[in-house]
Amino acid sequence: DQRRILGQQLREEWSKYSLFPRASKAAEFVEGKEVTVHGFLSRRRVKHSKLVFADIQVNGPSIQITSSFVDLDTPGHLTSQALRAIPLYSPVSVTGTIAKIHGEPGSASRIDLDLNSIQPLNAFPKDIIVSDGVQFPPSSRHLQIRFSDPLRARLLARPQIGFQLRKSLNGLGFTEVETPILFKSTPEGAREFIVPTRRKGLAYALPQSPQQYKQILMSSGVRGYYQFARCFRDEDLRADRQPEFTQLDLEMGFATGEDVMRTIESLVSELPAALNAQFRMVKNGDEIYPISKHGLGPKDATDDLQWLDLPSPFPRLTYQEAMARFGVDKPDLRVPFEIRRVDQVLTPDFISMITGLESPIVDAFRFRPEPTGEVASDSSSAFVDDLMKSLPSALAKNPDGAPVALVFNTKRPLCGLSSLGHLGFEGLTGESSGLGDFEDLEDGDILVFQARENKAFQGGSTALGTARNLVYQSAVSKGLLPRDLSFKFLWVVDFPLFTPDNKADPGQGGQAGFSATHHPFTAPLTDEDVELLATDPLKARGDHYDLVVNGVELGGGSRRIHIAKMQEYIMREILQMTDEGVGQFSHLLEALRAGCPPHAGFALGFDRLVAVFTHTDSVRDVIAFPKSMKGEDLTVKSPGRITSSQLATCHLAFAGRK
Amino acid sequence: DQRRILGQQLREEWSKYSLFPRASKAAEFVEGKEVTVHGFLSRRRVKHSKLVFADIQVNGPSIQITSSFVDLDTPGHLTSQALRAIPLYSPVSVTGTIAKIHGEPGSASRIDLDLNSIQPLNAFPKDIIVSDGVQFPPSSRHLQIRFSDPLRARLLARPQIGFQLRKSLNGLGFTEVETPILFKSTPEGAREFIVPTRRKGLAYALPQSPQQYKQILMSSGVRGYYQFARCFRDEDLRADRQPEFTQLDLEMGFATGEDVMRTIESLVSELPAALNAQFRMVKNGDEIYPISKHGLGPKDATDDLQWLDLPSPFPRLTYQEAMARFGVDKPDLRVPFEIRRVDQVLTPDFISMITGLESPIVDAFRFRPEPTGEVASDSSSAFVDDLMKSLPSALAKNPDGAPVALVFNTKRPLCGLSSLGHLGFEGLTGESSGLGDFEDLEDGDILVFQARENKAFQGGSTALGTARNLVYQSAVSKGLLPRDLSFKFLWVVDFPLFTPDNKADPGQGGQAGFSATHHPFTAPLTDEDVELLATDPLKARGDHYDLVVNGVELGGGSRRIHIAKMQEYIMREILQMTDEGVGQFSHLLEALRAGCPPHAGFALGFDRLVAVFTHTDSVRDVIAFPKSMKGEDLTVKSPGRITSSQLATCHLAFAGRK
């Protein structure tokens, strides 16, 4: 029958593709010796009917094979025919004699092989078109990885960065502990994924982070804990967010926040040298990415493409200072201009021109283009026009007024700043203003002004902070500033302990009108902040610290409350959580009560760390199977349809049906 | 108000417990120097009113402090009072002068400190009673870990085993790749946990293993993949099963099962030397566990308590052979007796005495006690009586008949084997029988007989296989056999590709009446087995291999089908899965179709590996926060109550309600 015939065909196909000689070991690669190599057939060049070259792709770089023959119907002729018959990009096993090893054996840059025989191990299909620069869709992640050098390179570099971090942490006496992923729902702050069980009414929840488990470990007497932990948040996704992500999670017993910051600095600072020892960096068009020094291929990176030393300790900024000087709580210190408050020297006329606010604060920065030559330098005015046209609506339609950009130009009235008026011009640019950036203006300098309400900073950024980053990125992409490959690390500290409730985050579900800024376990910064808990909680600062590099928040941590009574006081009295809410944390309160030592910790966003260190802006370039903005894995097509019977197993049903 | 008063008290408590001197670094530990040490106060001995000793527990071993004074109201007196006032087991910061370092600096066995000052960092509560050998409940995992040396030691050893494996794999050119935990439901074989989303009707599922993702990686050109992967199975739990567990998952491209087995052998064989370099083994009562050589404490293990070299390659047994000789597909090769088929030499009388089966097969083994001396040796008859009384009901109430044990005793008729009859006795013990084990019987030898149906082996064990393990374990615990600390590794190979459907496992939901024994991606073993797919699928063997040590299945793997057409043929034609079922695997079929190279892989149960190498029978001893038999985490009390509003977020409701 049909099944048998198909079975017979498959038997033939299987026996053709399934038995093949073992690949030769590295030590067997000696000129003149016969070796076997496995890889993908690529770049076949038919020189003439009796001479064919091809490359065998072995994990990135290639081995070049030569197939030539003199007489027809010889083994050489048959091998050559076989080589020409195999579809390009098919996996093959190749046996040949080594003609030449270019470079040192064991560290060769290229190997040439005279082909003796070739066997296909599967057939690459005709309907998949591979061409230079082809872009495969996310549903074909396997093709993206196979045919994109930067993507494959970053995925291969990622575990090496992880291994180096592990090595450092082990050396510091830390212990890796795996904690459960089937956890339970607690009001820690973010929205959780739930996992229904077959026990009626009961569900696990996936952990937002291993926070509570690691604090229990501190009470267990574990001195230094770490884990590359998968974390889950059912958030509305933004560009650089994933519903599941990996963090290097750590915690130190008998330690303060200061101890943790020093540890993280030492961890991160050891990376550049360790990576330079293993990788060379290559530049390919716009892409810069690391390639192992151990494989085939050229061995040296261009010097300026190495990872640069990271001076430590990293500078520290308080939240207030970061917001005032950079308009953002994760400043990019590569940006060569800062924000200054300028309303004290401006005229009411100008201020009312840029905002409808009463008595606002006005901030400004000065951006000086340094055309990098290669790219034709736009004039500053053209740059400003472009920028204003492409402003995101949050800036363009800001109710406090849009940003205003002026170009300094000595050929124009009041050097192009006439809208400031004489008084404003003198105030801003005069020496007595103390506003250094604006004293020595040159033609082409761009001044950007932005008003905001006269109140304390809240949240992650101001409008001018956002504009500052935009101007920088736009200037770099247009060649008005050089691309800066350095890593400018810093700490942002002294965050407010609590933040007024918003609708996006569930918070702790308390009745106080505010929630913990990070999570309810953060310790107050000083005795004074402990006192503020009772009197003016929104003024209390937490012993929290964010690690920031180049405008990316790489991680955050804090000292934790290790006194059970104080933890309960904050939950019950300050956040005004319900008994039930507090009860969800009873395991944590029990652990603290059992003589838990002081402790502090950190969570380093590992996906982001790898992205930063491999010079890409997107975590999707360093995750093998990333989720889309909708939380979908487009390759396997998850999430999938849930069935009634799956729900019934968990005693659940679709809402609105019986 | 009340809140303020409480706040004031907390401020005082916080300022008492939160500021403390930093601990001294290892290099600062020099005799005569003042150092600061953090740890838990333990073992306080008041010698007389002016002399107190205590230990400060620093990650296991201790530093001994001495507090003495001559005159009242001196600083020494106050410090001594402070030391006596702190509740035992509280965390403390201690500053003192080093009186003596026993052993080499940096590798000391003990350090004595003259106390200069002590500060409590929290207070251990009075209602937690700590005494020698105290057993804390699972709800207090933090106390279990703090006060159980073996538990803490195993948790600390676990990551070192993992690190060693990573190091070996990196050296072999493998790449660690993290794959998603938010996957989707596919009929791979086991029951899955589902994770509803906020998108109506859609759910993720937690992965049974990263199987499908790692095969996609093979098609992506990744040569060697590995991952310490969290896996999830919603199974009815057995003693050594957890709903979430960690496996060292790996896959090799351009490889056969043979390549994978060699790789695993080399990985595992490197462990003993690596562990001996880092750990010494200690014996504490019945417990044997590893302690780091780097901390305080004696440095040498007793020689015979080291990890022994593992000779490789490991022996291989086919499934048929394992079942015939050991009655189980994961034989414990430490057991010094094998199973023999004996019905050919027995009389029908005896056979009908031990079973109601028609023409059964009868197997037997001979157990010879070797009393180990220490424990008083029971007589063999008493041992047999005890054994029979405590038989598990699956054996005692086996419809094929219970096991029958006879004791060889030259003082009794037919040496105690009279129920065999003369013919049976001669047949069994005569030289011509060829049943070596029964030729040279000695007084006290125990013979165990068991009947079974005359048909091919199926499943994991026979009744006599179970009895054999029971006799061995019981004999060791009673001192009739020595405890064998060696690791006897072996491979079990040539499993049947398919197994008749049962009710416990969902399988692939096909209509064939059988399911894939392991998963539907296993390759047939030979061309002949490919042919059997169409003709007699239950006879087809798979290229699957199990790694077994001491009766524990440590992991399993297989060569995979890398030809899309054959994979679809097995799903559709052989397993008779529905279009929808096959469609769930379309991502995998797409990946295979795109010129996927041959590949094979393995999954090593990491929890079990650590348990075996740290000499415990339970994976719960090597998991920081294990789940109970009901799938509960008794510490954090998961799973928890699910609320209607959580369900509503996912467009779900409790079944049976509107």
Side-chain angles (χ1 to χ4, degrees), chain B residues 436-453:
Chain B
D437 286 356
F438 303 101
E439 281 173 22
D440 57 346
L441 295 176
E442 296 177 3
D443 275 354
D445 281 0
I446 297 168
L447 311 187
V448 182
F449 298 85
Q450 171 73 55
R452 61 181 168 93
E453 277 192 87

Side-chain angles (χ1 to χ4, degrees), chain B residues 150-337:
Chain B
L151 177 57
R152 199 174 49 249
R154 291 189 177 111
L155 292 177
L156 294 176
R158 175 181 174 121
Q160 300 298 334
I161 297 176
F163 189 72
Q164 177 57 39
L165 292 169
R166 278 199 166 85
K167 225 159 74 176
S168 300
L169 284 164
N170 291 352
L172 293 168
F174 280 76
T175 297
E176 192 172 13
V177 182
E178 296 174 59
T179 57
I181 282 181
L182 296 174
F183 182 48
K184 70 162 185 183
S185 185
T186 62
E188 203 179 291
R191 191 188 288 119
E192 301 155 319
F193 288 104
I194 54 166
V195 184
T197 70
R198 284 184 282 151
R199 295 173 61 195
K200 205 167 178 173
L202 295 182
Y204 299 109
L206 303 182
Q208 307 175 26
S209 87
Q211 181 66 34
Q212 297 173 54
Y213 279 114
K214 70 178 174 177
Q215 291 195 244
I216 298 175
L217 287 173
M218 293 301 105
S219 180
S220 308
V222 173
R223 281 299 168 109
Y225 142 92
Y226 77 94
Q227 180 181 197
F228 283 79
R230 202 68 65 85
C231 303
F232 304 86
R233 295 192 194 162
D234 185 13
E235 292 171 328
D236 298 310
L237 302 176
R238 286 180 249 153
D240 214 32
R241 289 273 177 92
Q242 293 275 311
E244 58 178 313
F245 55 95
T246 301
Q247 72 186 30
L248 172 51
D249 190 54
L250 63 83
E251 195 79 15
M252 295 167 68
F254 296 93
T256 63
E258 190 65 35
D259 296 323
V260 171
M261 284 192 269
R262 293 283 179 232
T263 301
I264 296 293
E265 281 170 355
S266 113
L267 261 187
V268 172
S269 302
E270 284 175 15
L271 278 180
L275 293 179
N276 285 326
Q278 271 191 286
F279 293 98
R280 60 199 173 88
M281 294 259 248
V282 296
K283 190 164 196 260
N284 196 338
D286 267 358
E287 297 272 19
I288 294 173
Y289 53 91
I291 300 254
S292 170
K293 287 184 173 171
H294 302 303
L296 287 173
K299 296 302 162 207
D300 291 318
T302 330
D303 266 359
D304 60 350
L305 281 184
Q306 289 205 319
W307 286 279
L308 301 174
D309 277 349
L310 303 176
S312 73
F314 302 150
R316 291 187 196 181
L317 286 175
T318 65
Y319 168 79
Q320 296 296 339
E321 204 178 350
M323 293 298 288
R325 287 173 54 194
F326 308 100
V328 61
D329 64 359
K330 43 185 179 184
D332 186 343
L333 297 188
R334 294 174 307 174
V335 181
F337 41 92

